[in-house]
Amino acid sequence: MDAVAMLAALSTVAFVVESATEYLFGSWLNGNILRWVAFGLGVAVCLFYHLNVLAMLGIQADTREAMIVGEIVTGFAVSRGSDFLHQFVASKSPA
């Protein structure tokens, strides 16, 4: 997967997670609780679909446990939203 496709896919997932969190929980949760809900949803989606931004950037893991850590890190980035994810990938990818 090239960098543009990777960024587009992860940005789309981040947008969907951010939108779903705001739509489903934004009216009755706020602040830190809403952030934790977004984190949980982002991690759940990334674990379910095995999305790992670290592996996509070439940081390979030898064990399943290491892959899970990468998926959790990706879930965190996804839960922060698409702009945060774009900045993260841009800072880590080779020019």
Side-chain angles (χ1 to χ4, degrees):
M1 177 181 289
D2 68 344
V4 173
M6 174 183 60
L7 184 58
L10 290 175
S11 293
T12 301
V13 171
F15 175 75
V16 168
V17 167
E18 185 177 20
S19 298
T21 302
E22 283 295 325
Y23 181 76
L24 296 173
F25 305 107
S27 62
W28 54 280
L29 294 176
N30 58 26
N32 289 333
I33 296 172
L34 190 60
R35 286 188 194 116
W36 281 105
V37 169
F39 174 71
L41 185 59
V43 168
V45 167
C46 290
L47 287 172
F48 184 79
Y49 288 106
H50 302 292
L51 299 174
N52 186 340
V53 72
L54 300 177
M56 292 177 188
L57 292 172
I59 303 170
Q60 295 300 322
D62 296 332
T63 64
R64 179 65 190 138
E65 291 81 10
M67 290 296 294
I68 290 173
V69 169
E71 292 166 5
I72 291 171
V73 168
T74 305
F76 170 72
V78 163
S79 73
R80 294 289 311 268
S82 55
D83 183 54
F84 173 81
L85 188 65
H86 172 76
Q87 292 172 359
F88 175 76
V89 171
S91 70
K92 302 298 179 196
S93 62

